[in-house]
Every structure is written in C-alpha cells, then in structure tokens.
Amino acid sequence: MSTHATRPRLPRTTALTPGRGGQPRLLIDAPAGSAEIYLHGAHLTAWTPRGGKPVIFTSRRAVFDGAAPIRGGVPLCLPWFGAGVSGDRRPSHGWGRISPWQLRSVQSRSGGVQALFTLERDGIAALYSVDVGEELSLSLSLRRTGATGAEEPVEAALHTYLAVGDVTAVEVTGLEGTTYLDKVTGQAGQVQHGALHIVGQTDRVYASGAPVTLTDPAYGRSVRVAGVRAANTVVWNPWSAGAAALTDLDDDEFASMLCVESAVVGDSAVRLAPGESLSLGTRIAVAPL
Ligand SMILES: O=P(O)(O)OC[C@H]1O[C@H](O)[C@H](O)[C@@H](O)[C@@H]1O
C-alpha cells in the first residue's frame, strides 16, 4: 500500500488493512465503538457505537476503485459543494472525496480512537479528525496556503449518510422555522413548518447548523446530528427516481438512508485569503426511543 512509508504507530484496537477493492482502510474496533475509514477520500464508511446497530449507511453497490467517490458513509465535499458558488466547478463536490489522504496519527482516547488525516492540494491544506467512540465526532479544517493571492470562496460539507429503518417513517426535528433553498424546485427562501418528513425526492440547504434529531421508529432509536461552526444543514434523499439514475445505489436503497450534512455552503461560503482557515464539524449521537 502507498501508505506504508508514512504509516503511524497504531493502537492495538486498530489495523490498516486492504478493504473492498483492495483499497487501504483503517479499521477501528475499540471498547466504545467500531469504524472503518478508507484513505481514499478519508472516507468513513461505517460507525457502530458499542452495543448498538450500524449508524452509517454505505451502498452495497458502492465503488471502491480508488478513483470514484464512495456512495455512502461520509464523503468530504471540499473545497466546493456541488458545482460551487460559481456553478461551474468540477468535479462535483470538489476533490476531497476523490483524493488519497495521508493518515498522520491514530490514538486511543477514553475507550475510543482518534484518527488524523491530512491532504494538501491546489492551495488548500486540509486536516480531518475522526473521533470514534460512543459518539462520532468529525472535525475538518481547510487553510489557504501561500502568502499572496486574492480571496476565494471556500465551501465544505460532511456529507453524512445515516442508516434508517424506513425513510418514509422518520421525522426530522430541529429545523422548524428555518429558511432553506429547495434544490429540487430551485426555490430559495422556503420556510420549514413543523417537523420534516421525507415523502419524495428531497434536496434542501437549510440556513442552520443547529442540532437536528432524526427519530427512526423502525430502528427504535433517535440520531442527533449537531453541527459545529456549521452555517448549514443539507438534507438529501434521491427517492426512487433519483436512485434509479445512480449506478452505485441499488433501486431499493433510498429507503434505508437519509443524508443529514453539516455544511458551510452556498450563500454561507467563506472567502479565504492565503493563510486564512475555515473549520467545520459534526457530532453524531444515538439514543433509544
Ligand atoms: O451524487 P453525489 O455527487 O454524491 O451528490 C449527492 C447529493 O449531494 C448533496 O446532498 C447535494 O445537495 C445533492 O444535490 C446531490 O445530489
């Protein structure tokens, strides 16, 4: 594996081994929780808190070839989201999720494990911390490198795919009264009235990173997603028609997932001069109903 030369010391609760497609991944099996993180995209594909069920959804058709983005888990969208604020950036969601990251350190922490990843590309130095335990805590920071140059808009999203028992039965609270851009209809300035229920294709950028709770009666649990310095929460489900158009998502899988993404995107993009940084995080916790 290309990571061999820089492999950090690993605690005994972790292993760096080839995963699906032979791709290098960090396996974590700590007393407080287990997880799997591919170096391609520093992409977390699984997290299960101790004694619980898997919280993160990864498609059974996900491609693990070290080139394509992985469908599911937590893709890191950076340094732009979608086509970016200018609308013409490629690849979609930036290069973070399709780049090989360096694993810098892995440490035991209060029953869990913290792994640190770095990536430097195109004038951006990214640092990503994954704290695996009874909660999952993800922190990303992006710094413009170099000493001179104009400000540029930077966006980021922790594009978390949550595993749900039945997406049509979940209720999402914490967004009431918040305005959002509806990317399905193209309408901005919509207002969330009451709890959110998923009844069709959903693609919304909310102007809030406050904690959101997903109540999932089929799995008998609630999942709380709390943004940290997140200006936005993106909620996405492709529904059946959208799933049919995605070759890396099985037709029935839209019913077992809901993306709830802590983000800094669109109107909230941060203009960074060289030397300036953007930080963003998410904390995910599960409770029985
Ligand atoms: O298919 P992807 O490039 O992974 O994007 C999946 C989705 O990501 C976000 O949630 C966007 O808001 C959606 O518009 C997009 O369809």
Side-chain angles (χ1 to χ4, degrees):
M1 288 188 289
S2 59
T3 51
H4 187 73
T6 55
R7 178 189 287 205
R9 278 176 61 96
L10 298 179
R12 275 188 293 185
T13 50
T14 68
L16 193 56
T17 59
R20 291 169 67 180
Q23 293 297 310
R25 53 137 192 217
L26 181 68
L27 278 178
I28 297 171
D29 189 6
S34 64
E36 176 184 63
I37 310 162
Y38 281 81
L39 300 196
H40 176 63
H43 199 127
L44 180 132
T45 52
W47 166 56
T48 305
R50 172 176 53 190
K53 293 197 216 99
V55 180
I56 301 295
F57 166 90
T58 293
S59 168
R60 61 179 91 96
R61 295 179 70 103
V63 175
F64 290 81
D65 64 359
I70 298 167
R71 175 68 61 196
V74 186
L76 298 179
C77 304
L78 64 93
W80 61 87
F81 184 74
V85 291
S86 59
D88 61 357
R89 305 301 299 269
R90 298 288 182 276
S92 180
H93 288 330
W95 36 256
R97 63 178 180 166
I98 52 167
S99 296
W101 290 60
Q102 291 281 332
L103 178 60
R104 290 294 175 189
S105 70
V106 185
Q107 288 175 324
S108 294
R109 272 201 168 186
S110 48
V113 166
Q114 183 196 43
L116 282 179
F117 300 85
T118 59
L119 172 65
E120 190 162 344
R121 182 169 164 174
D122 297 354
I124 300 273
L127 174 66
Y128 183 44
S129 163
V130 179
D131 262 283
V132 172
E134 288 184 50
E135 291 190 10
L136 179 69
S137 178
L138 308 174
S139 306
L140 178 68
S141 86
L142 305 179
R143 181 175 53 82
R144 283 277 309 277
T145 58
T148 56
E151 288 183 345
E152 283 177 16
V154 173
E155 299 175 287
L158 298 153
H159 194 311
T160 308
Y161 285 71
L162 298 173
V164 299
D166 173 4
V167 79
T168 65
V170 306
E171 179 171 88
V172 180
T173 53
L175 295 166
E176 300 87 328
T178 304
T179 57
Y180 64 90
L181 164 66
D182 188 332
K183 290 174 69 179
V184 175
T185 62
Q187 290 176 299
Q190 302 297 295
V191 178
Q192 179 65 42
H193 298 292
L196 170 63
H197 297 97
I198 308 301
V199 294
Q201 187 188 357
T202 304
D203 191 358
R204 298 180 177 186
V205 180
Y206 286 90
S208 167
V212 164
T213 300
L214 181 157
T215 303
D216 183 349
Y219 276 175
R221 71 184 180 191
S222 67
V223 182
R224 184 174 186 269
V225 179
V228 180
R229 290 185 294 276
N232 306 105
T233 300
V234 181
V235 179
W236 179 66
N237 183 284
W239 209 247
S240 46
L246 297 171
T247 55
D248 55 359
L249 190 69
D250 250 347
D251 289 352
D252 62 340
E253 286 187 301
F254 76 93
S256 347
M257 54 146 285
L258 183 65
C259 289
V260 179
E261 315 163 27
S262 298
V264 174
V265 297
D267 292 345
S268 303
V270 179
R271 298 188 66 82
L272 294 184
E276 293 181 339
S277 303
L278 161 67
S279 295
L280 162 73
T282 197
R283 296 179 68 90
I284 304 176
V286 184
L289 290 183

